[in-house]
């Protein structure tokens, strides 16, 4: 089977406030069953903050941050790019997953756990040129565990493209959350 999930959100800041902007977020994921028990997922997310009016100020809490187990694995949480965030970002992920090779009846773990191999890429910036120059890229493998609506991951990630200002996490990385790329 195949499945496509897409979301879009738009926020408007500035009604009687000291900042004026529109914030748009897009996220899409395509999932498919493949051969030999594998499943594949292709994910994409992007966001843009567009300042309105004469006051071109965006609070640090409104900005985007990139990196970490939920976005570009192989980097520490918010470890990509500017420490003060950016007004635009993108991220993409390709993931291949497969059930564990033991029976689901052994300790009941087989129902909840999968192997996965991934490639992630993304960037953060304040203009289009920032987004296209030197995107960050990582690859790796790990184990996914789904419990209720949460997902936990233990991965070995290798950042293969990064910049000197980035905070990389080459090696084991643990993540828990609802939304992963």
């Amino acid at each position: 089977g195949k499945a496509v999930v897409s979301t879009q959100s738009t926020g408007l800041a500035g009604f009687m406030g000291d900042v004026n902007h529109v914030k748009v977020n897009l996220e899409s994921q395509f999932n498919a069953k493949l051969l030999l028990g594998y499943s594949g997922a292709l994910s994409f997310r992007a966001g843009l903050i567009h300042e309105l009016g004469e006051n071109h100020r965006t609070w640090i809490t409104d900005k985007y941050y990139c990196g970490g187990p939920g976005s570009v694995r192989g980097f520490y949480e918010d470890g990509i790019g500017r420490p003060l965030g950016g007004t635009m970002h993108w991220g993409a992920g390709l993931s291949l997953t497969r059930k564990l090779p033991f029976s689901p009846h052994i300790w009941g773990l087989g129902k909840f756990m999968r192997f996965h191999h991934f490639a992630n890429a993304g960037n953060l910036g304040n203009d289009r040129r920032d987004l296209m120059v030197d995107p960050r890229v990582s690859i790796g493998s790990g184990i996914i565990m789904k419990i209720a609506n949460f997902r936990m991951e233990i991965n070995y990630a290798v950042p293969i493209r990064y910049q000197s200002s980035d905070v990389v996490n080459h090696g084991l990385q643990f993540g828990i959350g609802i939304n992963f790329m």
Side-chain angles (χ1 to χ4, degrees):
K2 298 176 183 173
V4 176
V5 177
S6 292
T7 60
Q8 186 270 333
S9 65
T10 304
L12 178 62
F15 182 70
M16 298 185 64
D18 57 352
V19 295
N20 296 303
H21 66 256
V22 175
K23 186 174 185 178
V24 179
N25 296 298
L26 303 170
E27 191 164 338
S28 192
Q29 187 175 75
F30 175 76
N31 298 288
K33 288 191 178 197
L34 305 172
L35 299 174
L36 303 172
Y38 280 93
S39 295
L42 180 62
S43 305
F44 179 77
R45 63 175 64 152
L48 167 72
I49 298 172
H50 178 73
E51 285 96 1
L52 302 171
E54 296 175 15
N55 180 5
H56 289 269
R57 179 171 55 184
T58 303
W59 289 106
I60 192 169
T61 54
D62 291 329
K63 291 189 176 184
Y64 294 106
Y65 298 89
C66 195
S71 70
V72 182
R73 296 171 184 93
F75 294 84
Y76 280 95
E77 193 73 32
D78 305 334
I80 290 178
R82 298 163 167 70
L84 299 179
T87 57
M88 50 184 69
H89 80 101
W90 67 270
L94 175 64
S95 181
L96 293 172
T97 66
R98 189 167 201 273
K99 290 181 182 177
L100 293 176
F102 53 77
S103 168
H105 304 292
I106 298 175
W107 305 309
L109 295 177
K111 293 185 234 174
F112 307 106
M113 297 176 74
R114 297 180 71 86
F115 283 125
H116 82 130
H117 310 286
F118 59 86
N120 293 141
N123 223 343
L124 174 76
N126 288 318
D127 61 45
R128 287 187 301 244
R129 185 177 55 244
D130 289 343
L131 294 183
M132 298 304 142
V133 175
D134 295 325
R136 282 57 166 211
V137 179
S138 68
I139 58 172
S141 296
I143 296 177
I144 299 169
M145 179 183 276
K146 287 196 169 196
I147 301 173
N149 293 329
F150 293 96
R151 176 169 158 168
M152 292 189 311
E153 293 186 358
I154 298 173
N155 299 311
Y156 188 87
V158 179
I160 57 176
R161 287 193 67 181
Y162 54 90
Q163 296 179 16
S164 61
S165 61
D166 297 336
V167 186
V168 299
N169 184 8
H170 184 123
L172 287 177
Q173 187 172 39
F174 174 77
I176 186 167
I178 297 172
N179 191 4
F180 285 80
M181 232 177 7

